[in-house]
Amino acid sequence: MSKYAGEEVLVVRRSLLEEIGMFHGIITEGIDAAMARLLDPQNHFFMDRAAAEEDPSHKQLIPYCVFRCGDQILHYTRGKSGGESRLHAKISVGVGGHINPIDTGNGRVGPEAYFAAVTRELEEELIIGSHRTTRIIALLNDDSNPVGQVHLGVVHLVDLENTDVQSREDALTDLAFTPLATLRGEMFDRLETWSQHCIEHLADTSYA
């Protein structure tokens, strides 16, 4: 039996991303317009995850939340209990996950369902003891590997007042804050691909 048995995830057709403008890595221009199209209920639907993981003609929409406190970035090691075995033992700076039908409860659709999924994922995975502000700063696409070929990331920058963050899940181990410069330097090669893109972008771009 598939480890994804019974799970459905929100997807968009690759052709929609091609219409918006196919890209590699991080883009920051035209994000509002792109998100409006991605989150339009006419442009996305739920698909069996096992099928979606093997189907590059669709992209699973993934909120990817990067936590920052001053010049430090939260990171963790992906444990074996995580859903994506192809990323196990990699260091990640992104917290988030798939959008599931549960996020459409109480009649939520489109953006409302998407942001309900973001809240659910963060509450399931982390205990955050700090005030936070969140904004979408980029879209992330990387077709250079099998994981990236079937996912599209929405990068959220989450600014914290302090580093009081704990993991709720075994899938997030060795939780720690490290200066951005260190992640961009000696730790860079240990990061998963999406995290590498995010760290490079944050190192090159100032977000006050």
Side-chain angles (χ1 to χ4, degrees):
M1 179 180 293
S2 168
K3 61 184 174 182
Y4 305 128
E7 182 179 2
E8 292 190 325
V9 294
L10 193 75
V11 302
V12 297
R13 291 184 175 85
R14 176 178 288 269
S15 59
L16 175 65
L17 183 59
E18 292 170 346
E19 290 174 16
I20 293 171
M22 184 58 76
F23 64 97
H24 176 78
I26 292 272
I27 61 165
T28 59
E29 299 296 323
I31 297 302
D32 290 345
M35 288 299 294
R37 295 194 67 184
L38 293 169
L39 298 184
D40 183 336
Q42 296 185 38
N43 291 334
H44 59 236
F45 54 93
F46 289 102
M47 182 176 180
D48 177 73
R49 183 174 175 184
E53 293 290 350
E54 304 297 331
D55 183 2
S57 70
H58 293 86
K59 286 279 194 178
Q60 300 166 59
L61 204 57
I62 305 291
Y64 199 72
C65 299
V66 181
F67 287 78
R68 179 177 70 170
C69 183
D71 69 343
Q72 298 190 90
I73 303 294
L74 179 72
H75 60 85
Y76 63 92
T77 302
R78 290 190 181 271
K80 291 183 178 180
S81 62
E84 182 49 80
S85 60
R86 293 169 290 189
L87 297 178
H88 289 168
K90 290 286 190 178
I91 293 176
S92 177
V93 301
V95 179
H98 295 80
I99 300 158
N100 304 120
I102 191 174
D103 302 309
T104 64
N106 298 320
R108 291 186 293 260
V109 297
E112 190 178 2
Y114 172 83
F115 286 105
V118 175
T119 299
R120 173 182 58 77
E121 285 287 346
L122 295 185
E123 290 179 349
E124 286 177 356
E125 298 187 3
L126 297 174
I127 302 170
I128 304 170
S130 168
H131 176 73
R132 66 183 187 267
T133 57
T134 305
R135 52 188 154 161
I136 294 173
I137 62 169
L139 292 179
L140 200 170
N141 184 61
D142 186 349
D143 286 333
S144 68
N145 59 79
V147 179
Q149 287 171 7
V150 294
H151 295 90
L152 176 66
V154 181
V155 183
H156 296 243
L157 181 60
V158 184
D159 278 302
L160 302 172
E161 291 183 344
N162 60 59
T163 59
D164 183 11
V165 180
Q166 302 173 55
S167 173
R168 289 187 188 272
E169 293 194 348
D170 292 340
L172 280 67
T173 63
D174 303 322
L175 209 68
F177 281 85
T178 294
L180 175 60
T182 302
L183 290 165
R184 181 65 182 86
E186 56 260 42
M187 293 179 65
F188 190 75
D189 290 342
R190 297 168 58 198
L191 300 175
E192 66 186 22
T193 306
W194 276 18
S195 291
Q196 289 181 340
H197 286 300
C198 288
I199 290 301
E200 286 187 319
H201 176 67
L202 290 173
D204 293 339
T205 309
S206 176
Y207 287 99

